[in-house]
Amino acid sequence: MPRLLVTGGAGFIGANFVHYWFANYPDDHLVVLDALTYAGNMANLEPVRDRSGYRFVKGDIGDQQLVEEILLSEKIDTIVNFAAESHVDRSILGPDAFVATNVVGTHNLLKAARKIWLDGAGGRKPHRFHHVSTDEIYGSLGPDDHPFTESTPYAPNSPYSASKASADHLVRAYHHTYGLEVSTSSCSNNYGPYQFPEKLIPLIIINILHGKALPIYGDGLNIRDWLYVDDHCRGIDLILKKGRVGEVYNIGGNNEWTNIDIVRLVCNLLDEALTGDLELAKRFPDAPANKGKKAEELITFVKDRLGHDRRYAIDATKCREELGYVPTESFETGIRKTIAWYLANEKWWQTVMDGSYRDWLEKQYV
Ligand code: NAD
Ligand code: DAU
């Protein structure tokens, strides 16, 4: 029975992975290690708090002694590394934390895994180190370019993607040099429950509910390939179970949208949900639908992100052909589920949007 260490499990994708895992493998043992940065939130793990086979450790992946202790005492055989600084805008304003966690932190996990799994007193142990990476390591596509494959050359453009790319190279090197049994997944943009409202989709939902401007960077024609978060988790599961050691697998939604079209879609869906709903009208009096207006009127074009990548798209052929992976959630249903989740979980997003976050966001646009 696998014994997992899930780093960054209190963040958006990590928490969804924990819920996915227990829903599918209720008897497994799973330890979450998370530093609880601004993006980590114990509320994301509330549904599993008291279940058996689960333990939470607050700590930094950069603390090698702590990681070694967990690997030994919990008899961990699988690490799934989600822990990261994940927001591109923050990496532009302050890259240091990205190098510290994404590069040095990941290297630290690798060192601990090597020591306990390869060089331990009892000899080599069965293991897997799965590293969660991103499509941003491949850089930016032109409008007619073929989507990223696993052999697309690395060309990271932001401090965030450069730090993720560095981590990927270290993971690869630990396999090649020391024989650590690794795998890496490079995934496109995720959306779904528990996503921190600095990222495009939850930010737009919450701003509409408050009747606030919807900031669109540049001309709004940048393209992202959106995937429902559960489908990312399922892809990682398949890689852990059936993926080849030492390999990289791209995971994507085959679902490219310009930012402006995504924002318009969310506007229309929220107008539809709010119109004629008295309970929602009472809770969100500033939403345009309650004033006989359209949410689209809030769209505001703002200064572009520095070095803004134009287009990401994933070719997931390898994952499909080798592992039988296909996304199961359609965008139509996934985006509706996501909006419904944010409407039903106002307490969650009010809590995570504390003063320090609002100050930071304000500085972005003032
Ligand atoms: P997130 O920012 O929501 O969560 C990151 C989590 O890592 C938080 O819980 C945070 O507290 C924790 N963390 C940060 N620094 C840490 C440290 N030093 N030690 C321990 N824990 C630490 O991020 P996310 O969107 O859930 O992304 C998870 C992973 O998936 C990241 O590696 C990211 O690069 C990758 N990824 C994200 C997306 C996406 O669309 N969000 C797409 C592809 C890949
Ligand atoms: O592609 C995978 C990546 O997707 C992950 O590796 C990152 O961790 C994740 O944050 C995400 O990066 P993006 O930069 O693509 O996501 P974000 O939600 O920040 O922005 C999506 C697009 O929307 C991007 O082109 C920038 C634009 N944008 C974003 C915000 C927050 C706006 O126009 N306005 C905004 O306010």
Side-chain angles (χ1 to χ4, degrees), residues 7-15 33-41 44 59-63 81-87 97 100-102 105 131-136 160 164 185-191 194-196 198-199 226-227 229 232:
T7 69
F12 162 49
I13 308 174
L33 172 65
D34 197 296
L36 296 180
T37 67
Y38 79 95
N41 187 344
N44 300 0
D60 195 320
I61 57 167
D63 181 345
N81 180 30
F82 291 98
E85 289 293 335
S86 68
H87 192 38
T101 288
N102 301 1
H131 177 62
V132 180
S133 190
T134 168
D135 58 1
E136 301 203 11
Y160 163 69
K164 294 294 292 184
S185 48
S186 301
C187 189
S188 60
N189 284 62
N190 286 213
Y191 69 99
Y194 300 115
Q195 187 166 32
F196 194 84
E198 64 189 349
K199 307 283 166 52
W226 294 94
L227 182 74
V229 61
H232 184 181

Side-chain angles (χ1 to χ4, degrees), residues 86 134-136 160 189 200 203 215 217 224 259 305 308:
S86 68
T134 168
D135 58 1
E136 301 203 11
Y160 163 69
N189 284 62
L200 183 69
L203 177 92
Y217 300 164
R224 299 291 184 265
N259 293 337
R305 174 184 275 175
H308 197 176

